């Protein structure tokens, strides 16, 4: 069993140029498969809103949903670094609210750190959480919780003015004490600048090469079919596998092929006569 990592292991990976590979997970079996495969980190992302709960975004996701799924993932991956994703409006109101809710991830769901979206505008919340002794990962660029303000799920930093805002966010996240930052949906040039400028690890999704990559598990396994983002790469098509399995099951039950003899329980040896008498007694 691999030794459980700490923040300095991830810092050392950046120094050595070793990629950190992570994936989202929301349940016990997926987390256990990810741990068995040697995934470096698991994010219990608020993408659960779309992938698990069928919402059309992350905004409706609640603290209780996040905590429940974090607990399931921790049970499946006891030795993997787990990131709890703070949902919309769980850290926006005040530093006190942010610290209190971040603490719930650590105390109730045993996550190793929390992630929250935003840079300059949430720097005070990051500082407050870090001061409480909780590790924070920033999330900048395309931040889905504020997609309405961004005008949709659009790549950021594609012109100089927008790139400046992303870079300022990255600097603010590091200055506030975050141990790492996730950059989403920005051009490679901007990501590379941030990766070189920051001392902390810079991870990406739709941001090109940097210190590591994350993918949403539904995209990676071909389980989320509503849409595939430009940066999503399918490593399997489980939607096809699952649909075929359900169809085969329906066909076999309808044709009385399932359950077959090997799926049935049988009487204990020598019980046939007693059972027949029992049946007769009901006549
Ligand atoms: O919630 C999530 O899955 C995310 C992705 C951008 C990785 O934050």
């Amino acid at each position: 069993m691999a030794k459980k990592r700490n923040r300095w292991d991830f810092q050392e990976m950046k120094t050595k140029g070793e990629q950190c590979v992570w994936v989202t997970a929301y349940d016990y079996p997926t987390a256990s498969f990810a741990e068995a495969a040697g995934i470096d980190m698991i994010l219990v992302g608020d993408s659960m809103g779309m992938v698990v709960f069928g919402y059309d975004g992350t905004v409706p996701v609640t603290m209780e949903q996040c905590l429940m799924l974090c607990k399931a993932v921790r049970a499946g991956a006891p030795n993997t670094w787990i990131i709890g994703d703070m949902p919309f409006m769980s850290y926006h109101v005040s530093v006190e609210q942010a610290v209190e809710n971040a603490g719930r991830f650590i105390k109730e769901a045993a996550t190793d750190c929390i992630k929250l979206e935003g840079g300059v505008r949430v720097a005070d919340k990051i500082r407050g959480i870090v001061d409480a002794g909780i590790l924070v990962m920033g999330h900048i660029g395309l931040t889905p919780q504020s997609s309405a303000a961004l005008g949709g799920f659009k790549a950021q930093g594609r012109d100089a003015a927008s790139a400046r805002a992303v870079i300022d966010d990255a600097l603010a996240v590091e200055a506030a004490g975050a141990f790492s930052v996730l950059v989403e949906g920005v051009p490679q040039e901007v990501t590379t600048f941030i990766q070189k400028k920051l001392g902390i690890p810079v991870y990406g999704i739709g941001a090109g090469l940097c210190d590591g990559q994350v993918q949403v598990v539904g995209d990676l396994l071909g389980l989320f079919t509503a849409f595939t983002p430009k940066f999503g790469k399918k490593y399997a098509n489980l939607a096809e596998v699952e649909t075929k399995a359900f169809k085969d099951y329906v066909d076999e039950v309808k044709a009385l092929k399932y359950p077959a003899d090997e799926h049935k329980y049988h009487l204990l040896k020598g019980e046939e006569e007693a059972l027949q008498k029992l049946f007769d007694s009901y006549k």
Side-chain angles (χ1 to χ4, degrees):
M1 191 188 304
K3 180 179 145 280
K4 188 152 178 229
R5 301 254 185 54
N6 64 52
R7 63 177 297 186
W8 303 117
D9 295 316
F10 299 116
Q11 192 65 46
E12 197 179 323
M13 285 170 84
K14 175 180 174 102
T15 307
K16 288 184 175 160
E18 188 187 332
Q19 287 290 301
C20 179
V21 189
W22 38 301
V23 69
T24 69
Y26 318 96
D27 59 46
Y28 170 88
T30 308
S32 68
F33 300 146
E35 179 160 299
I39 286 282
D40 294 312
M41 290 185 182
I42 297 176
L43 167 67
V44 188
D46 65 351
S47 49
M48 67 177 71
M50 286 107 99
V51 180
V52 176
F53 296 108
Y55 308 150
D56 61 5
T58 57
V59 165
V61 173
T62 66
M63 275 296 295
E64 301 313 319
Q65 287 170 323
C66 288
L67 292 173
M68 184 181 289
L69 271 50
C70 280
K71 287 180 202 172
V73 168
R74 172 51 81 206
N79 292 304
T80 302
W81 184 271
I82 293 177
I83 306 154
D85 208 7
M86 296 192 71
F88 184 58
M89 278 298 145
S90 69
Y91 57 93
H92 304 72
V93 178
S94 64
V95 172
E96 289 72 21
Q97 183 215 25
V99 174
E100 210 165 291
N101 281 326
R104 292 191 68 193
F105 278 93
I106 310 297
K107 277 182 78 117
E108 296 176 34
T111 68
D112 295 289
C113 69
I114 60 88
K115 171 170 89 57
L116 54 77
E117 296 183 8
V120 174
R121 66 189 160 84
V122 293
D124 60 331
K125 315 296 188 311
I126 295 177
R127 172 53 64 198
I129 298 170
V130 170
D131 284 348
I134 297 169
L135 290 167
V136 177
M137 177 185 285
H139 181 166
I140 59 169
L142 198 184
T143 45
Q145 290 174 10
S146 42
S147 60
L150 296 174
F153 292 89
K154 285 185 185 151
Q156 302 295 303
R158 297 183 76 192
D159 58 38
S162 170
R164 177 189 288 279
V166 179
I167 292 165
D168 287 349
D169 278 342
L171 294 171
V173 164
E174 179 168 60
F179 83 102
S180 62
V181 63
L182 173 66
V183 183
E184 177 168 359
V186 310
Q188 177 72 69
E189 294 82 350
V190 179
T191 306
T192 303
F193 180 83
I194 291 171
Q195 186 196 3
K196 290 191 176 145
K197 193 89 185 145
L198 265 48
I200 57 175
V202 175
Y203 304 123
I205 178 162
L209 291 170
C210 42
D211 295 316
Q213 296 293 321
V214 58
Q215 273 219 77
V216 174
V217 71
D219 297 334
L220 189 154
L221 296 181
L223 265 172
F224 182 69
T225 53
F227 64 90
T228 307
K230 173 179 167 59
F231 48 80
K233 179 166 177 187
K234 255 189 211 178
Y235 286 83
N237 191 341
L238 294 195
E240 219 170 82
V241 174
E242 278 197 28
T243 309
K244 182 177 178 321
F246 291 142
K247 274 192 181 138
D248 290 350
Y249 169 58
V250 168
D251 290 349
E252 289 204 357
V253 171
K254 298 226 181 245
L256 301 181
K257 286 187 179 162
Y258 173 85
D261 206 45
E262 69 266 30
H263 307 119
K264 296 175 187 166
Y265 292 106
H266 297 285
L267 285 177
L268 294 175
K269 251 198 164 125
E271 283 299 305
E272 295 80 359
E273 209 180 307
L275 195 77
Q276 192 53 58
K277 274 194 188 143
L278 174 73
F279 292 161
D280 291 346
S281 75
Y282 285 92
K283 279 180 188 161

